[in-house]
Amino acid sequence: MRPWACICALLAGLATWIIWAGDAVAQGGVDPPPAPATGATMPAVLVADDVFLSGNEQLVASGNVEALYDGRRLKASQIVYDRTTETLRVMGPISLEEADGTMLVLADSAELDREMRNGLLRGARIVMDDQVQLAANELARVNGRYNQLYKAAVTSCRVCNSKNPPLWQLRARRVVHDQKERQLYFDGAQFRILDTPVFYLPRLRLPDPTLERATGFLVPSLHNSSLLGFGARVPYFIRIGDHKDLTVTPYLSTESRTLELRYRQAFRTGEIEVTGALSDDDIGGRNFKSYVFARGTFALPRDFTLRFDIEAVNDDTYLLDYGYSDKDRLDSEISVERARRDEYVRVAFTHFHSLRAGESNTTLPTLVSNGEYEKRIQLAYAPGGELRLGVLSHAHYRTSGLAVDGPDFDPFADGRDVARFTLSADWHRSWTLGPGVLTKAQLGLAVDSFHIRQAGVTSRSDAVEVTPSASVELRWPLVKTTTSGATHVVEPVMQLSWVGGSNPLVPNDESTRIEFDEGNLFATSRFTAPDRRERGFNSAYGLSWTRYGNKGWQSSFAVGQVVREETQIDPAGGFAFTNSSGLQDRYSDLLVAGQFKTDDGLAITARGLFDDDFVTTKAEARASWRNDRAAVGGTYIWLRNDVAEARPNNISEWAFDASYRLSRHWTGNADWRYDVASDESVRAGVGVTYTNECVDVTLSASRRFTSSTILEPSTDISFTVGLRGFTTKTRDKSYVRTCEQ
């Protein structure tokens, strides 16, 4: 029930109560009638300092009059019911608050008919959703649905007094509020800033703030780009139905004519979202450019989930030039998966498209299929433990038909197509020894089958490899609590493993990038896929220490290393691991990782690989600090040059990001990415936002310094103004201005 329907029912219920009460009136109040039958509407409850009859035709309630109906509350100084004319006169100040608090009606006085469907309120003001205020000399109630306000002012800014006008407001000759459709219609509207008219609109329609989705314009923005020139975006939202909508955004600039689109639809079992754009510009490459990104998720029968995403573009620099995405390799995929406690299954088909300069999509795997099934079986009989059965399948296709090797790092034919099928069975069991040593044993057997088309002379066309494996892992967690209340946990770990068989002479297409970290330190093979496996005897050891402070502080440190019987050699020649993997020698690089965080927002994380001379192979670190006013973060990354990973030079980069609430209404932010190796900035940005209860104003500038054969450096400046109350909500009350006393 809407607020005015509420007041109608409230006062109609009050009139019913008046007729029922008859002469049973006493000073100080009247007892309510008996409760109606189940399903009937409860009558109003009236409380007042004085309730009396004036003659035989009028009943008067005065002094702190308060009426309650269906959770809604009406307050007034006096209510007079005239039985002859069947009208109500309500003297103010009047306030009516809806049960959910989304609407408050204030007035000086009111004259309404018995049904409360028609009437007039003087000096009226409506506050909707604690956001938008409508004030008028008179408010007319028509047919129980429309509220007509004459000589009205509408704003979401806080109004302290008449001498200080709101930051912005809409003045109109008449405003009609349709409670059913939840729309505001303006006749002869003026948009004013600090009471100064800016522009005039003969007709205007806006949704009231209680309506979450409505057709209309969204927040526009101005942009200036060294590539695209000066222009404006004006988004228009179209509500197609309760479960679908379309946003159309024309973007016109001096160098581009663009139409941006976003479509969303929710279904009973899932949802989809499609975004895209069409551009006609003068900045090189194609004159007509376009892109489309789509994603969706659906629940299928028997707990399966369908997911898909589509990424396509017809110009390599379009996404980056227009700021739509930083991706330089697009992947479109459809997958079906199900995860249960003892079972996991997934099937996926993926299409890749590279936007990188120097990469050919004909010799890169473009069509890829993957299938995975794993089943866990708890063994209730000897030897106990858990049995894991797995099936893996993988295939990828290149559009190139080359059966020879070109000028690249690997020795295999550039147009090769690969298919792999893997069956595996692993037995796992854990138990605790003597003084709390946690022991885990594993036995496994895997069968890998490969088929290579257009293999050339450097690879076998077909290969089958049987791989047995075994491992034992020991962990001894030691716990101590100090007198200060801090808890220390020290855990030494040792693993011994053996993997039989040998790697067949097939292309290494899936395990080209190896990340050596805490997650795979104690794996039997640190390759990412079964086209390569670590073979022979090896051991891994590690030590971790964690401290839990009594004041919320937490710190941890871990160190580990892998030692093998022999160096891993690739069947095609050379080392099986790349030079920057940290795993290329018998003794791996030393893995060191640490973390420190406090309950007041400070967090530091670092990880690195160090060779025998304690020279860094890979390193990354992140430090951040956050409180109610500020957020600061910095990231550093170091990668040694490695031709096998398509990295001819060292990578050394800093990245910083920060935001700071300068004052109650002003917030600044900045970010910077710097390439230490080449001694030049990659990207930088700065922005400032002014926010109060009724407006958001954002000014930002960014610079992209990178350049290539297809990319040019660019500078972008944007300016956005959003009116709160209609376009955005004011949920954070700390931005609301206060009135000076």
Side-chain angles (χ1 to χ4, degrees):
M1 185 180 293
R2 305 305 304 150
W4 266 111
C6 164
I7 192 172
C8 291
L10 175 61
L11 294 181
L14 175 61
T16 303
W17 172 83
I18 293 171
I19 296 173
W20 170 85
D23 295 331
V25 184
Q27 185 175 359
V30 176
D31 292 334
T38 303
T41 303
M42 289 293 294
V45 176
L46 178 67
V47 178
D49 292 342
D50 295 291
V51 180
F52 59 90
L53 286 172
S54 177
N56 294 325
E57 306 299 334
Q58 291 186 342
L59 185 142
V60 180
S62 62
N64 298 313
V65 181
E66 186 170 337
L68 304 175
Y69 180 80
D70 197 22
R72 297 165 177 85
R73 185 183 302 270
L74 172 68
K75 296 181 180 180
S77 61
Q78 187 181 74
I79 296 178
V80 178
Y81 171 69
D82 191 319
R83 187 168 58 181
T84 303
T85 59
E86 294 187 343
T87 60
L88 288 166
R89 295 197 314 274
V90 186
M91 274 63 77
I94 303 169
S95 70
L96 169 67
E97 184 177 0
E98 195 172 5
D100 58 8
T102 59
M103 186 167 175
L104 177 67
V105 180
L106 306 172
D108 295 333
S109 61
E111 294 179 0
L112 305 164
D113 63 9
R114 176 177 176 176
E115 299 297 329
M116 302 305 300
R117 298 180 57 83
N118 298 278
L120 185 67
L121 289 89
R122 297 180 181 85
R125 185 158 62 98
I126 301 175
V127 181
M128 299 183 190
D129 200 27
D130 199 23
Q131 296 275 317
V132 176
Q133 303 178 50
L134 295 82
N137 292 333
E138 291 184 347
L139 186 153
R141 175 67 179 160
V142 180
N143 296 330
R145 172 177 174 178
Y146 301 100
N147 299 318
Q148 295 186 10
L149 296 92
Y150 298 93
K151 296 182 179 180
V154 180
T155 184
S156 60
C157 299
R158 185 161 189 178
V159 181
C160 295
N161 52 63
S162 58
K163 297 181 179 179
N164 296 298
L167 182 61
W168 69 266
Q169 61 178 311
L170 284 166
R171 287 287 187 91
R173 183 173 60 254
R174 185 181 68 156
V175 177
V176 178
H177 178 215
D178 187 337
Q179 291 181 200
K180 181 179 179 180
E181 298 296 331
R182 291 188 285 183
Q183 299 286 334
L184 295 168
Y185 299 90
F186 295 78
D187 290 339
Q190 288 183 353
F191 181 77
R192 297 189 176 193
I193 297 178
L194 294 176
D195 210 26
T196 301
V198 176
F199 55 83
Y200 173 79
L201 295 169
R203 295 288 188 272
L204 176 65
R205 178 186 59 83
L206 292 172
D208 79 26
T210 65
L211 185 61
E212 293 292 334
R213 300 168 63 249
T215 299
F217 287 99
L218 301 179
V219 179
S221 58
L222 300 176
H223 301 268
N224 186 48
S225 169
S226 58
L227 286 179
L228 304 177
F230 180 79
R233 280 186 171 93
V234 184
Y236 188 78
F237 180 84
I238 302 172
R239 180 182 178 275
I240 303 174
D242 291 339
H243 310 293
K244 52 188 172 182
D245 54 59
L246 174 67
T247 303
V248 180
T249 307
Y251 173 36
L252 300 178
S253 71
T254 55
E255 301 293 334
S256 173
R257 281 71 58 195
T258 298
L259 182 65
E260 301 171 353
L261 302 167
R262 185 191 70 175
Y263 176 80
R264 301 183 302 176
Q265 183 169 356
F267 300 87
R268 181 175 298 176
T269 59
E271 61 180 7
I272 62 172
E273 180 175 346
V274 183
T275 59
L278 307 170
S279 296
D280 181 14
D281 60 38
D282 306 316
I283 61 174
R286 296 172 179 263
N287 290 331
F288 182 78
K289 303 173 183 178
S290 62
Y291 92 96
V292 60
F293 282 5
R295 64 173 184 84
T297 303
F298 290 89
L300 301 179
R302 303 182 64 181
D303 300 328
F304 283 97
T305 300
L306 169 68
R307 293 184 175 89
F308 72 86
D309 73 273
I310 300 172
E311 298 176 350
V313 66
N314 69 346
D315 185 90
D316 289 349
T317 65
Y318 183 50
L319 298 176
L320 199 57
D321 287 341
Y322 281 76
Y324 295 134
S325 174
D326 292 333
K327 297 188 69 171
D328 55 8
R329 279 180 176 169
L330 305 183
D331 56 277
S332 301
E333 182 177 271
I334 181 170
S335 67
V336 176
E337 67 177 334
R338 181 178 69 186
R340 290 178 172 175
R341 183 181 184 276
D342 295 319
E343 182 189 56
Y344 178 74
V345 58
R346 183 177 187 269
V347 178
F349 297 92
T350 311
H351 177 270
F352 291 96
H353 179 79
S354 176
L355 306 178
R356 297 181 181 182
E359 286 190 348
S360 172
N361 284 293
T362 60
T363 56
L364 290 175
T366 52
L367 295 177
V368 179
S369 67
N370 286 285
E372 180 178 359
Y373 177 80
E374 184 174 355
K375 177 70 174 179
R376 300 193 310 172
I377 302 174
Q378 302 295 329
L379 302 179
Y381 48 86
E386 178 181 283
L387 182 64
R388 298 181 185 178
L389 304 177
V391 179
L392 295 173
S393 67
H394 171 86
H396 56 260
Y397 168 79
R398 293 174 169 87
T399 57
S400 171
L402 292 174
V404 296
D405 182 34
D408 51 28
F409 181 79
D410 66 68
F412 303 107
D414 287 352
R416 64 190 180 274
D417 303 322
V418 179
R420 173 183 53 80
F421 187 78
T422 299
L423 294 174
S424 65
D426 293 274
W427 171 77
H428 297 260
R429 185 178 177 184
S430 302
W431 61 90
T432 303
L433 299 178
V437 177
L438 305 179
T439 306
K440 182 170 70 175
Q442 176 265 334
L443 293 173
L445 182 67
V447 180
D448 302 308
S449 175
F450 300 89
H451 176 72
I452 296 90
R453 190 174 62 176
Q454 298 164 182
V457 297
T458 57
S459 170
R460 297 174 59 181
S461 297
D462 296 280
V464 176
E465 183 64 29
V466 178
T467 303
S469 64
S471 69
V472 176
E473 180 182 298
L474 303 174
R475 294 175 177 267
W476 193 10
L478 304 172
V479 182
K480 178 182 179 180
T481 301
T482 64
T483 56
S484 64
T487 301
H488 296 261
V489 180
V490 177
E491 185 179 53
V493 185
M494 172 65 74
Q495 183 201 57
L496 299 174
S497 65
W498 171 81
V499 178
S502 60
N503 289 317
L505 184 57
V506 296
N508 179 9
D509 280 356
E510 301 177 73
S511 299
T512 58
R513 302 292 188 271
I514 309 300
E515 291 295 330
F516 178 36
D517 55 26
E518 306 96 307
N520 59 10
L521 173 61
F522 299 103
T524 55
S525 177
R526 277 151 283 272
F527 285 107
T528 55
D531 58 348
R532 291 291 187 275
R533 295 181 188 270
E534 292 185 62
R535 307 288 178 169
F537 288 95
N538 71 73
S539 63
Y541 67 88
L543 178 69
S544 65
W545 165 78
T546 304
R547 180 185 183 274
Y548 301 93
N550 59 348
K551 296 183 179 179
W553 289 28
Q554 180 179 334
S555 55
S556 61
F557 177 80
V559 61
Q561 190 176 33
V562 176
V563 181
R564 301 187 188 86
E565 179 186 22
E566 58 185 19
T567 303
Q568 300 291 302
I569 301 299
D570 193 81
F575 295 114
F577 290 99
T578 62
N579 291 330
S580 63
S581 66
L583 297 164
Q584 68 274 18
D585 299 323
R586 282 188 59 210
Y587 291 85
S588 74
D589 289 354
L590 191 66
L591 169 65
V592 180
Q595 185 181 66
F596 175 76
K597 59 182 179 180
T598 67
D599 59 352
D600 58 358
L602 177 64
I604 301 173
T605 303
R607 178 186 295 111
L609 298 177
F610 302 90
D611 62 17
D612 295 341
D613 299 324
F614 214 71
V615 176
T616 306
T617 302
K618 290 182 179 180
E620 60 178 330
R622 169 73 179 176
S624 63
W625 177 70
R626 177 184 298 272
N627 63 13
D628 294 337
R629 297 195 63 178
V632 182
T635 303
Y636 177 75
I637 184 171
W638 160 266
L639 292 175
R640 181 183 295 176
N641 65 308
D642 194 335
V643 179
E645 295 188 3
R647 191 169 57 253
N649 302 312
N650 294 337
I651 292 180
S652 177
E653 287 190 358
W654 282 100
F656 298 95
D657 56 271
S659 66
Y660 182 70
R661 191 162 175 178
L662 305 169
S663 64
R664 183 170 190 171
H665 303 291
W666 291 93
T667 302
N669 61 81
D671 64 271
W672 180 43
R673 183 178 164 192
Y674 179 72
D675 189 339
V676 179
S678 60
D679 192 23
E680 63 180 6
S681 295
V682 178
R683 181 182 177 85
V686 65
V688 62
T689 300
Y690 175 83
T691 305
N692 63 23
E693 76 283 356
C694 64
V695 70
D696 273 319
V697 181
T698 300
L699 177 65
S700 63
S702 63
R703 171 74 175 174
R704 190 185 74 226
F705 298 90
T706 55
S707 63
S708 67
T709 56
I710 60 175
L711 282 177
E712 297 181 11
S714 64
T715 301
D716 296 277
I717 300 173
S718 65
F719 180 72
T720 305
V721 178
L723 303 182
R724 287 176 169 254
F726 292 105
T727 57
T728 57
K729 301 294 185 181
T730 307
R731 301 304 183 194
D732 189 347
K733 299 302 181 182
S734 65
Y735 290 104
V736 177
R737 294 175 296 172
T738 57
C739 295
E740 296 181 359
Q741 299 297 327

